[in-house]
Amino acid sequence: MLIFIVKTNLMIFLVLVSLTVYLCCFFFVQVVRARLEERGICVKDVRLNGSAASHVLHQENGLGYKDLDLIFGVSLKDDQAFRLVKDVVLDCLLDFLPAGVSKERITALTLKEAYVQKLVKVCNDTDRWSLISLSNNMGKNVELKFVDSLRRQFEFSVDSFQICLDSLLLFDRCSETPMSESFHPTVIGESVYGDFQEAMDHLCQRTIATRSPEEIRGGGLLKYCHLLVRGFTASSEADMKQMQRYMCSRFFIDFPDIGEQQRKLEAYLQNHFAGMEHKRYECLMTLHHVVNESTVCLMSHERRQTLSLISMLGLKVLAEQNAIPTVTNVTCYYQPAPYVQDINFSNYYIAHVQAPQITHCSNSYQTWLPCS
Ligand SMILES: *[C@@H]1O[C@H](CO)[C@@H](O)[C@H](O)[C@H]1NC(C)=O
Ligand SMILES: *[C@@H]1O[C@H](CO)[C@@H](O)[C@H](O)[C@H]1NC(C)=O
Ligand SMILES: *[C@@H]1O[C@H](CO)[C@@H](O)[C@H](O)[C@H]1NC(C)=O
Ligand SMILES: *[C@@H]1O[C@H](CO)[C@@H](O)[C@H](O)[C@H]1NC(C)=O
Ligand SMILES: *[C@@H]1O[C@H](CO)[C@@H](O)[C@H](O)[C@H]1NC(C)=O
């Protein structure tokens, strides 16, 4: 990974401070870090990642940010290290409970249920990291990621930014003079895309660019469509076509089965559209268009099946927001897919569906036929 730029910009500093104060987690980070070190786990650095980092660098970027994504650079050489990290975080969490909550009565288990949204551990040849995602009462999550190694650190250039918080943390710990506009530490931002300036230009001009999309799990396909909906575009038609082909290819390799595709899509819709639910339909139709355009190598049955799924979900989100358009323009998207069984859109629409019987196909056919 290469470091490209040093930012001493005051705006960055101010935004960082307000972000962290707003989420009340700056102090929490300090405590987690100190306790990890007490227990022999050295923290190389702490970084702000992803959309929150993009937000700090360029606020009008159109991406918004939902979660505060923090990366702790640590060494996780064995299972015990993983466990230690988790225990330390849960322990710190216990100390941060609001006054009045009886700590004796809270077990690690109830604590986990109340505050921990997600616990993830990944440990293989290339990737060693764990994630503890905490939710606060404002619906924002704080994702604490403890990363030993992670081969692919970004999806698109616009979310490849990381901002190193160490100088702020150190300042906070050691300086007797409080931070001010004229007295504050240098904050370093970098892009794991490889070229900071280029990534920054992409962010300002809303350009979609990536490297080797076939390396991203799911190909980055859903995020790509989401970026399109938010007004981002590829730099050229050729670029777009190529990206789409790779992304679709990887998506169908990772999610070959229609049930998995449905779960993946529903989870994405659920997790990425808070406060902008009305955009879900547009995103699905964009996805429909991309899949239709870029999966020429897919077997036609599978392609139809996936396109139907996307249409059904589109109709479902419209129904949820009570925005079913006139029947005429629904019909062109509407292809009943009876194998999509647990979709529940209002009974009103179900009533119109003449579902043909489709027998379940075996899973043994080849899903992706490579183009050559
Ligand atoms: C940082 O955020 C990006 C974009 O959300 C994500 O792809 C990447 O995995 C994150 N990096 C780490 C180390 O978690
Ligand atoms: C390691 O795990 C990650 C996340 O589950 C996965 O994307 C990656 O392909 C795995 N790598 C290997 C070599 O198995
Ligand atoms: C799908 O793509 C084909 C050409 O590849 C086009 O004729 C058709 O109109 C497209 N369908 C939709 C719903 O976009
Ligand atoms: C359906 O058609 C109506 C009127 O023609 C239009 O206002 C509406 O935007 C269309 N809806 C969609 C989802 O295309
Ligand atoms: C389907 O959705 C409706 C309204 O959202 C709800 O009342 C009903 O219980 C749901 N049915 C099932 C089977 O989930």
Side-chain angles (χ1 to χ4, degrees), residues 65-76:
Y65 71 93
K66 189 172 138 295
D67 299 333
L68 200 63
D69 191 0
L70 295 164
I71 303 174
F72 291 72
V74 292
S75 150
L76 298 166

Side-chain angles (χ1 to χ4, degrees), residues 315 326-335:
L315 201 57
T326 55
V327 174
T328 41
N329 56 6
V330 171
T331 45
C332 64
Y333 291 123
Y334 188 56
Q335 300 150 305

Side-chain angles (χ1 to χ4, degrees), residues 147-345:
V147 179
D148 179 313
S149 58
L150 177 57
R151 203 163 74 96
R152 177 79 188 199
Q153 296 234 17
F154 69 100
E155 291 186 51
F156 297 92
S157 60
V158 293
D159 62 34
S160 68
F161 298 104
Q162 299 187 350
I163 291 172
C164 198
L165 300 178
D166 296 293
S167 57
L168 286 176
L169 293 169
L170 185 70
F171 189 99
D172 189 51
R173 257 196 335 260
C174 304
S175 169
E176 281 167 13
T177 317
M179 281 189 234
S180 71
E181 296 207 3
S182 53
F183 188 62
H184 63 82
T186 301
V187 177
I188 298 175
E190 54 184 79
S191 161
V192 288
Y193 174 68
D195 184 331
F196 184 94
Q197 199 49 55
E198 196 183 324
M200 199 62 198
D201 290 345
H202 292 162
L203 188 63
C204 297
Q205 287 154 22
R206 304 200 178 186
T207 303
I208 305 177
T210 186
R211 299 190 203 283
S212 313
E214 67 279 7
E215 285 176 3
I216 308 170
R217 180 161 166 79
L221 180 63
L222 303 184
K223 189 152 183 180
Y224 170 75
C225 294
H226 198 177
L227 285 171
L228 286 175
V229 166
R230 285 176 290 184
F232 286 71
T233 50
S235 63
S236 72
E237 175 94 8
D239 221 36
M240 180 183 84
K241 288 245 151 71
Q242 194 187 16
M243 254 192 308
Q244 291 185 2
R245 253 206 348 262
Y246 282 119
M247 289 187 296
C248 285
S249 162
R250 177 74 201 244
F251 183 84
F252 283 98
I253 288 170
D254 289 341
F255 312 111
D257 164 82
I258 190 80
E260 272 175 278
Q261 290 170 18
Q262 182 177 342
R263 280 191 294 281
K264 183 72 193 165
L265 281 170
E266 287 181 333
Y268 193 88
L269 293 173
Q270 171 105 48
N271 294 331
H272 294 86
F273 291 86
M276 46 188 281
E277 283 78 6
H278 60 287
K279 289 282 188 191
R280 289 177 304 173
Y281 179 74
E282 204 182 328
C283 189
L284 283 165
M285 289 310 112
T286 304
L287 176 65
H288 191 282
H289 181 80
V290 171
V291 170
N292 185 46
E293 208 175 46
S294 311
T295 53
V296 284
C297 302
L298 208 59
M299 289 166 104
S300 67
H301 162 71
E302 299 209 279
R303 186 181 140 88
R304 265 201 316 275
Q305 182 171 271
T306 301
L307 289 171
S308 304
L309 168 67
I310 298 168
S311 304
M312 292 282 282
L313 288 171
L315 201 57
K316 185 184 171 218
V317 302
L318 284 183
E320 276 168 13
Q321 59 200 70
N322 286 325
I324 297 286
T326 55
V327 174
T328 41
N329 56 6
V330 171
T331 45
C332 64
Y333 291 123
Y334 188 56
Q335 300 150 305
Y339 37 79
V340 184
Q341 271 155 14
D342 48 351
I343 287 205
N344 172 19
F345 45 112

